[in-house]
Structures are given as C-alpha cells and as structure tokens.
C-alpha cells in the first residue's frame, strides 16, 4: 500500500523529505507523481504526517515501541509490547497498518490512537522475522510448486522453484525454509528442507502442530547430561523432616507418569489436618543451571494426544522428582489444619522425605469412596479411612469456597483416543468426585502459600485473575437473557456469576453459558502484584503444587524455602536465570508460555477432530448452536463438543435475517428461528484438513425437540 511505503520510508529517516526525494527513494517514475502527491496530502490532512515548507515528515511523537506481532487469521493483529503486561489489552494493528509484518515478527510500533478503550497502532519497521521455516501442504507444478502454510495466520503461499522441492510429491506435508520474503507485488519464495509425509497421518499432524506452535520438543545435550549426572536424595539430612510414617497417596489419571503431588488427611479433635506434599524439584534444579534455563524457556509442560513435551527431562519428571509409590522421595510439605467447618486455622511448611503408599487413579478412588467395587476394598483397607477423611474435609473446603462465590465451571474436555496412527474416538473426559477431591486439596495449599508469602512481603509470582472486561460483561448479560435465564439483580461479583452458573446447571444451554462465561473472563496470568483471583473469589492465590510441569510453582518453592531458612531478607528479584530475574518480565514470559501451550493443545485437538471426521462426510449428527453471526451458525457436536460451522449461504430454504441482540437467525418467509443454545441435526459436508475447519449444513431445517 502506497501510504504504508511512505510512512515506512519517513520512519527510517531522521529528517523530513521533499516529494522529489521521496520519489527517488521509492524509485517511482514521474507518472506516479499525482498519486504520490494525493497520498501525501491525505496523510497530512489526517495528522499522520506534517508538512514543513516543501518537506514531509512524521510528527514529533514518542519513540516506537518494541513488540511481537500476534497475527489473526482474519488479517489484523495485536502488538504485544515488550516488557508490558496489559492483561489482554495489547495494541490493535489493522490490516492496512501491518506494513508487511507477519505472525510472530519482532516489530517497532507507533501508537496512532485509541478505539473502544484499546490502543491502535501501525508497524513502522520489522526488526526480525519470526517465521523462517514453516510446515504446509505441497502442490506440484511444472516449474516446481508452492507450499500452502499450515498456519492460517500466514497469509501467503510459498513459491518453490524447480530443483528446490527435494522431490516432494503433490499433496504431501513438508517443512520449507523461506529464502526471500518478497514484496507487496510478489510473495515469498523458498525451498523444501524435509518431507514430513501423509497429512492424513496422526504423527505428521502432531509434528506439524508442535512446529506451528514453536514448541521445544528436544532437550539440549548439556541439559540431558546434567540430568543424567544428578544423584537421588535418599536420606533426611539437614532441615528435611521424615514424614514417611504418614499414609500419603498420589491420585492421577490412568496414563500419568509424573506424580508431583501426594496427599494425606488426618481427623483431629480440632477438625482435620491436611498434608499436601509436593515433589522437591528445587533441590535438583538450581537457579541458572542448564536445566533451569531450559525449564524457564519452556515455562510449562504441554500435553497433546499421546504426546507430552515435558518442562523437565524425563530423568527428573518421571524418575527423581516423581512421587513414585513405595519409594522414598524428597518433598516440600504444606501441613494445614482446619476446624470442623473447614476454615483454615494454621499452616506449617517444611522440606520432607515421604513414601507414597499407593499410586491411585481417579477411577479407583471414586470406586473406593463409593464402595462400588467390593473386590477392591480389601487390598486398600488400610487407606480407606484416610480417603474417607479426605472426602469429608474437601466437602467442607468446597462449601467454604462456594459460600464466598468461587466459580465452578462445567466444561467437559475432549479426550482423544489413538490407535495405530489413526484417531479411534473423541469423547468427553470423565470428571468425578476424585478429581474434585484432589483439586480442593491443591487449591487449599496454593491459597495458604500465597497468603504466607504475601503477608511476609516476599517477591513471588502470584496467579491473578482480574475483574471481567465491562464490555464483555455487558455482552454476556445480553446473551444470557436471550437464552431465557434470569439475571440476578445484585452487584456483579464472583457470587453473581456463580448464581448464573447454578441457574444453567443441567439446562440444555449449560455448555453455552459456561463457555460464554469463560470467554467473558479476563485471562488468568502471573504477576508479582497480588490483586487476588476473581474466579476463585480468593484474596491470595499462586501456583505451588506442580513444579514438575510449571515453572511458577518452582519459583514459589524457592521463595518459600528462602523465607523459612531466613535467606530472603530484602530480595526483590526472582530466583530465575540471571537475565530474567525481573518479576514483571518473568510474569509476562511465563504467562505467554502458558498461552502458547493452551493454543498448541487446542490446535492439536482441532487437527485430531478433522482426521476423526475425514471419512464421515455425509453423516448426520446432533449438535448445539454455540454461536450465531451474520455469516452463519457455529455448532458443537453432542458427545464430544467438536466444533464446526454452518455457512449462511448453505441455508437456502429461506432468506435469514440476523438478530444480533437475541443471537438468532430468523427466516423471513417461514419465520423459522435458529437461536444460540438450540439443538439441531446437521450433516457433515466438508473437512478442511489444512485449515482445521469442519463445514456442516442443516438437515431439512430440523431441530430436535429439546431445542424447540
């Protein structure tokens, strides 16, 4: 775009330029003079440029801000300003202000104004390119071919000239390298560096998901070497207390291999004592070591179908640090006492040595608590009383949380089952009483540690969750009313949201209400400033209970240990790698690592859904309408919540009008209504594997009885 070229040119020069100089530097011919003159006058009139005599230049303004570009598939982007934690209010970059920048690029941004309480800006310079390699599908041509990027945030195809295709066959997935980023008139070009294989393969799709998300899937040699040289802790020396007499147990999923938390509950005359013992990762991972630097860069473990990208090497995550049953393991134990109402009355922390009595699964604990499988009672008779006491305590803890307004989202997660490199099924993961029992124990420990460190004025990363955005809150309220729910006439606080959730419980639109509420909320993040956790209605909260898979938990362990041993004093830096000790910067980095992991997991599930339905085109499904727009409907399939869309142009039985306020489409002639939350019968028409999109159509306009 001419205006962008002019602005970029002037941004790169310290002084204003004449129109002749601008023409020369842009290599324009005299024929371009009228068009250039018109563009310059427009930029002067709207205040983007200043005219000083015969020269044109940028107006005096603050220096450009260093940022990373997060590009949306729709063409616009957001600039994530370096060192700035905005809680989701990044700088909006319209498509015409991108200046050729692409997703992930390091850019310089000028703020141009504000719209809807969000700053807007333009890219003035691309400092460095983020995407130098990309995955995609190769299309062969007589002169070579081209690669359609697997990431729809990259709005171009990559030209591959003859001889640079490594013999790739038409339609295969490849890894390509960009050798020339091209220009506005000509797209980028490159070469194929690796042939990945059949895009219908699960293994190929998961590898593409990992590459697209920029995840680290291999540990450097020096990290593996350091991990291999570590020595297991087997004795209680120094300040480590022997707690092997306590009947600790771990409770995890069937496929879990890294056990980082164990619990034990005792009933007392005062009420209950809860021991939450967490793997002592901090003993093995020293600040600034190669393992620590790699763990900080990763920030979190990432869980994909049948694949885990761990934060720590396997020697640590599945061996030395894992609280394996019947083996002595070093831990950091939080001992919390509660009265008969479930109110915490004291807390005590210590390094410990524990021995887990049993590696339980959620299913087994649920069966034991409810005496479902009699044959399982005898082998675990010595632990039944402890589990029953844990059930009693966590029921009280939950009651206390609910009373203060803590939110309980009910959004089942899809569970992918793989067999022989194909997707065998996608179902909803079971969530039972045992899951909630463990969660309540972990929440109690996290809150206690957060309160202890906050009151001791220690520098740590809190897990904060701020008040919802007012604009999103207003939209949520309108939507809930459209679904027929009654909005509480009270102050909007966590308890207000909890009442809405309870009202939707077991209703047809429960999934929609919970999903919309989650979107209304601000993203939880890590910050050295404790502002509380809105969703939990907690004044103090941080992450302490999963240091094997989350770096902020490791920070909390180090800070708490320094406090207990009198080493903290006036420390204002975090116990992180040397260059990232600044608390604000570390909080921003680790929040971004978490979002990258979440995006990668969603990306992988979308790929698995496309593969799962690839051979089911023409099949019919029941679904719930999860979104209504002027361009059509969005739906989620019953039984697995696989998402898809119904384009408006496929609804040819009538002319449909969009009612934005009530979130519905209305047939102009038939008066047929398709509203958010309605259940419909749909047919799968198209699977876009490259775009990870599923296209459906309505079956004869039918709706199920439940949605009428």
């Amino acid at each position: 775009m001419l205006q962008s070229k002019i602005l970029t040119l002037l941004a790169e020069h310290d002084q204003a330029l004449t129109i002749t100089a601008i023409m020369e530097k842009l290599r324009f011919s005299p024929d371009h003079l009228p068009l250039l003159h018109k563009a310059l006058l427009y930029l002067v009139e709207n205040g983007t440029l200043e005219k000083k005599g015969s020269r044109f230049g940028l107006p005096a303004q603050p220096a450009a801000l260093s940022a990373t570009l997060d590009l949306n598939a729709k063409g616009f982007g957001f600039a994530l300003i370096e060192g700035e934690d905005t809680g989701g209010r990044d700088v909006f970059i319209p498509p015409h202000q991108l200046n050729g920048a692409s997703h992930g690029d390091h850019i310089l941004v000028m703020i141009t104004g504000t719209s809807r309480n969000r700053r807007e800006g333009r890219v003035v310079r691309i400092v460095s390119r983020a995407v130098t390699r990309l995955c995609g599908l190769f299309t062969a041509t007589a002169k070579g071919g081209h690669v359609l990027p697997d990431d729809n945030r990259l709005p171009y195809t990559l030209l591959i000239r003859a001889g640079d295709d490594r013999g790739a066959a038409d339609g295969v997935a490849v890894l390509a390298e960009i050798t020339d980023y091209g220009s506005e008139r000509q797209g980028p070009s490159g070469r194929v560096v690796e042939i990945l294989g059949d895009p219908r393969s699960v293994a190929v799709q998961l590898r593409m998901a990992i590459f697209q998300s920029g995840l680290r899937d291999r540990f450097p040699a020096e990290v593996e070497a350091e991990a291999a040289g570590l020595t297991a802790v087997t004795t209680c020396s120094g300040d480590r207390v022997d707690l092997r007499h306590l009947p600790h147990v771990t409770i995890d999923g069937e496929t879990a291999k890294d056990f980082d938390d164990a619990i034990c509950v005792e009933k007392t005359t005062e009420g209950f004592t809860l021991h939450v013992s967490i793997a002592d990762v901090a003993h093995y991972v020293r600040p600034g070591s190669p393992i620590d630097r790699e763990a900080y860069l990763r920030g979190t473990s990432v869980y994909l179908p049948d694949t885990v990208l761990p934060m720590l090497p396997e020697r640590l995550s599945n061996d030395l640090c894992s609280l394996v049953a019947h083996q002595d393991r070093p831990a950091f134990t939080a001992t919390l006492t509660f009265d008969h109402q479930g109110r915490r009355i004291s807390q005590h922390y210590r390094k410990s040595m524990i021995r887990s009595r049993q590696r339980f699964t959620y299913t087994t604990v649920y069966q034991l608590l409810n005496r479902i499988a009699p044959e399982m009672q005898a082998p675990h008779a010595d632990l039944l009383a402890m589990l029953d006491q844990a059930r009693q305590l966590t029921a009280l803890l939950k009651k206390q949380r609910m009373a203060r307004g803590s939110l309980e989202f009910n959004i089942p997660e899809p569970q992918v089952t793989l067999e022989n490199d194909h997707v065998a099924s996608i179902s909803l993961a079971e969530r039972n009483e045992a899951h909630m029992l463990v969660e309540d124990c972990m929440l109690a420990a996290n809150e206690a540690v957060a309160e202890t460190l906050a009151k001791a004025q220690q520098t740590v990363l809190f897990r904060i969750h701020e008040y919802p955005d007012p604009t999103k809150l207003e939209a949520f309220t309108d939507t809930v009313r459209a679904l027929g729910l009654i909005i509480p006439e009270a102050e909007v606080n966590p308890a207000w949201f909890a009442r809405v959730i309870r009202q939707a419980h077991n209703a047809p639109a429960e999934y929609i209400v919970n999903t919309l509420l989650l979107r209304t909320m601000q993203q939880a993040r890590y910050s050295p400033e404790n502002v509380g956790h809105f969703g939990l209605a907690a004044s103090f909260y941080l992450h302490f209970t999963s240091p094997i898979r989350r770096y902020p938990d490791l920070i909390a362990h180090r800070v708490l240990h320094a406090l207990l041993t009198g080493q903290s004093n006036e420390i204002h830096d975090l116990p992180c790698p040397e260059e990232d000790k600044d608390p604000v910067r570390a909080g921003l980095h680790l929040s971004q690592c978490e979002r990258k992991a979440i995006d990668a997991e969603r990306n992988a599930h979308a790929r698995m859904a496309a593969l799962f339905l690839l051979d089911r085109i023409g099949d019919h499904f029941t679904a719930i309408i999860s979104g209504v727009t002027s361009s059509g409907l969005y739906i989620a399939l019953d039984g697995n919540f696989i998402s898809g869309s119904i384009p408006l142009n496929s609804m040819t039985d009538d002319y449909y009008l969009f009612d934005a306020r009530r979130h519905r489409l209305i047939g102009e002639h038939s008066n047929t209504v398709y509203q958010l939350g309605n259940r419909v019968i749909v047919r799968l028409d198209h699977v876009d594997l490259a775009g990870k999109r599923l296209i459906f159509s309505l079956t004869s306009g039918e709706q199920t009885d439940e949605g009428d």
Side-chain angles (χ1 to χ4, degrees):
M1 190 175 181
L2 179 56
Q3 294 173 15
S4 296
K5 286 186 175 182
I6 295 171
L7 293 173
T8 301
L9 174 66
L10 293 174
E12 293 173 348
H13 287 73
D14 295 331
Q15 57 186 7
L17 301 174
T18 64
I19 193 169
T20 302
I22 294 173
M23 283 186 63
E24 290 176 353
K25 293 183 181 299
L26 292 179
R27 297 181 180 178
F28 282 177
S29 68
D31 293 341
H32 288 93
L33 181 58
L35 188 61
L36 178 60
H37 190 261
K38 183 178 180 180
L40 287 168
L41 289 180
Y42 172 79
L43 291 171
V44 170
E45 288 173 0
N46 67 19
T48 306
L49 291 183
E50 286 183 351
K51 189 171 185 294
K52 303 171 183 177
S54 62
R55 295 177 179 270
F56 296 86
L58 294 171
Q61 55 184 319
L65 301 173
S66 179
T68 300
L69 180 63
D70 182 8
L71 195 62
N72 186 280
K74 295 181 180 179
F76 57 82
F78 295 95
L80 286 63
I81 306 301
E82 187 177 304
E84 183 175 300
D85 196 342
T86 60
R89 304 302 294 176
D90 303 308
V91 180
F92 176 74
I93 310 292
H96 64 279
Q97 299 284 25
L98 288 170
N99 193 21
S102 189
H103 179 70
D105 287 352
H106 180 199
I107 56 175
L108 293 182
V109 175
M110 286 287 192
I111 305 301
T112 58
T114 303
S115 178
R116 296 182 180 180
N117 295 321
R118 183 188 288 275
R119 292 172 298 171
E120 291 191 1
R122 59 182 174 84
V123 177
V124 295
R125 186 156 67 89
I126 300 169
V127 179
S128 62
R129 293 283 188 176
V131 178
T132 58
R133 291 187 169 194
L134 56 86
C135 289
L137 300 184
F138 180 76
T139 299
T141 66
K143 297 182 179 180
H146 61 263
V147 176
L148 176 65
D150 183 58
D151 188 345
N152 58 12
R153 294 170 299 186
L154 304 180
Y156 50 75
T157 58
L158 185 67
L159 175 66
I160 307 295
R161 294 185 172 86
D164 289 334
D165 58 9
R166 295 183 70 90
D170 187 65
V172 302
V174 300
L175 175 63
E177 181 178 64
I178 301 174
T179 55
D180 185 347
Y181 285 91
S183 62
E184 289 188 9
R185 295 182 179 180
Q186 182 178 332
S189 58
R191 62 189 182 91
V192 173
V193 295
E194 184 180 349
I195 298 173
L196 303 178
D198 185 354
R200 297 167 63 106
S201 159
V202 167
V204 169
Q205 284 292 331
L206 287 178
R207 188 173 176 196
M208 293 170 80
I210 291 170
F211 188 90
Q212 179 182 326
S213 301
L215 299 174
R216 302 169 72 87
D217 60 346
R218 291 181 178 84
F219 286 99
E222 64 172 345
V223 172
E224 294 283 16
E226 183 188 2
L230 293 172
T231 304
V233 177
T234 57
T235 59
C236 286
S237 58
D239 59 354
R240 198 173 296 281
V241 178
D242 191 346
L243 297 182
R244 286 174 289 188
H245 62 284
L246 293 176
H248 280 93
V249 299
T250 62
I251 308 174
D252 295 275
E254 274 76 6
T255 60
K257 295 180 181 178
D258 52 345
F259 312 121
D260 51 11
D261 57 80
I263 63 167
C264 172
V265 178
E266 301 173 291
K267 202 162 188 177
T268 67
T269 55
E270 291 181 310
F272 297 88
T273 298
L274 167 64
H275 304 279
V276 177
S277 292
I278 309 301
D280 190 6
V281 176
H283 174 84
Y284 294 106
V285 182
R286 302 298 183 179
S289 66
I291 293 177
D292 186 51
R293 289 176 180 277
E294 181 69 14
Y296 179 80
L297 288 174
R298 294 181 178 226
T300 180
S301 296
V302 183
Y303 297 87
L304 306 178
D306 274 9
T307 303
V308 179
L309 303 180
M311 184 182 79
L312 299 173
E314 188 174 339
R315 164 79 167 140
L316 284 165
S317 60
N318 293 358
D319 184 10
L320 295 179
C321 294
S322 188
L323 304 181
V324 181
H326 314 302
Q327 295 187 28
D328 294 347
R329 286 291 187 269
F332 204 157
T333 300
T335 299
L336 315 176
T337 60
F338 299 88
D339 63 19
H340 292 288
Q341 284 72 46
R343 294 174 299 212
R344 176 162 43 91
I345 53 180
S346 71
Q347 54 279 324
H348 184 53
Y349 313 101
R350 49 201 168 165
K351 290 292 185 82
S352 62
M353 182 70 74
I354 71 165
R355 175 181 280 252
S356 171
R357 301 288 177 85
Q358 187 65 45
R359 180 270 201 260
F360 278 131
T361 66
Y362 295 116
T363 301
T364 301
V365 170
Y366 178 77
Q367 292 173 335
L368 290 173
L369 289 174
N370 293 283
R371 309 301 193 257
I372 291 175
E375 70 277 6
M376 297 179 61
Q377 307 301 311
H380 303 301
D382 58 329
L383 295 172
L384 287 177
M386 194 278 290
L387 291 176
D388 285 336
Q389 291 163 7
R391 180 192 219 176
Q392 295 170 35
L393 171 60
T394 53
L396 295 173
L397 296 179
K398 182 174 181 178
K399 185 177 180 180
Q400 289 287 337
R401 283 197 300 107
M402 294 299 100
R404 74 189 190 203
S406 180
L407 304 183
E408 288 281 299
F409 290 105
N410 184 21
I411 305 178
E413 295 186 1
Q415 179 173 282
V416 178
T417 302
L418 304 179
E419 291 180 3
N420 300 323
D421 201 41
H422 80 277
V423 182
S425 67
I426 298 181
S427 57
L428 297 181
E430 182 184 359
R431 178 176 163 81
N432 60 40
E433 181 184 6
H435 291 80
M436 293 178 274
L437 182 151
V438 173
E439 285 178 10
D440 278 308
C441 291
M442 299 305 115
L443 288 171
N446 287 337
E447 287 188 40
V449 173
E451 184 173 358
T452 297
L453 295 180
K455 290 185 175 180
Q457 298 183 330
Q458 297 299 294
T459 301
V460 72
L461 291 181
F462 294 95
R463 180 67 167 177
I464 67 170
H465 188 215
E466 294 155 298
Y467 190 88
D469 179 272
T471 304
K472 290 185 178 180
L473 180 58
E474 184 179 353
F476 172 76
T477 303
D478 290 342
T479 304
V480 169
R481 285 198 179 99
L483 289 170
L485 274 65
I486 299 173
I487 299 299
E489 295 293 336
E491 177 190 359
V492 177
N493 55 25
W496 182 92
F497 282 105
R499 288 172 63 184
V500 174
I501 292 175
R502 285 196 298 271
Q503 192 180 156
H505 185 57
N506 288 333
E510 180 179 14
Y511 167 75
I512 302 299
V513 171
N514 278 268
T515 302
L516 290 173
L517 178 52
L518 197 60
R519 293 173 184 168
T520 301
M521 296 291 175
Q522 297 215 43
Q523 290 180 318
R525 57 192 177 94
Y526 297 108
S527 170
E529 181 183 1
N530 177 42
V531 298
H533 195 291
F534 182 88
L536 293 172
S539 300
F540 307 96
Y541 195 70
L542 55 64
H543 280 160
F544 172 79
T545 56
S546 295
I548 288 179
R549 62 183 181 90
R550 289 187 308 225
Y551 196 90
D553 302 57
L554 179 55
I555 291 175
H557 278 230
R558 291 168 173 168
V559 174
L560 180 59
H561 185 248
L563 175 65
L564 297 177
T565 55
Q567 302 173 35
S568 58
N569 298 324
E570 297 298 320
I571 297 176
H572 299 292
D573 292 334
L574 290 178
C576 293
E578 189 64 36
E579 62 273 18
D580 287 294
K581 290 180 177 291
D582 176 72
V584 173
R585 184 187 307 157
L588 179 60
H589 164 73
L590 293 169
S591 296
Q592 290 172 345
C593 287
E594 179 191 40
R595 291 170 196 167
K596 180 191 289 188
I598 292 172
D599 288 344
E601 290 165 8
R602 289 174 179 166
N603 184 296
H605 278 93
R607 293 170 186 271
M608 297 304 101
L611 287 176
F612 180 55
L613 295 178
L614 197 57
D615 297 322
R616 299 189 62 183
I617 293 174
D619 285 3
H620 294 73
F621 306 86
T622 56
I624 188 169
I625 298 176
S626 57
V628 182
T629 70
S630 59
S631 59
L633 305 173
Y634 290 92
I635 53 99
L637 302 186
D638 288 348
N640 51 33
F641 291 150
I642 291 176
S643 298
S645 64
I646 301 174
L648 188 63
N649 58 21
S650 72
M651 300 170 63
T652 56
D653 61 313
D654 203 340
Y655 180 78
Y656 286 90
L657 304 172
F658 175 47
D659 181 353
R661 194 173 69 85
R662 297 189 179 183
H663 301 271
R664 61 183 183 175
L665 295 176
I666 306 172
E668 186 176 39
H669 303 294
S670 63
N671 208 35
T672 302
V673 176
Y674 292 103
Q675 183 164 358
L676 186 71
N678 285 168
R679 300 201 109 77
V680 291
I681 301 173
V682 299
R683 181 183 64 240
L684 178 61
D685 291 337
H686 178 62
V687 175
D688 178 3
L689 186 57
K692 283 79 70 180
R693 291 189 295 266
L694 303 171
I695 310 299
F696 294 84
S697 61
L698 292 164
T699 302
S700 302
E702 292 182 22
Q703 299 192 45
T704 65
D705 291 339
E706 192 177 5
D708 289 340

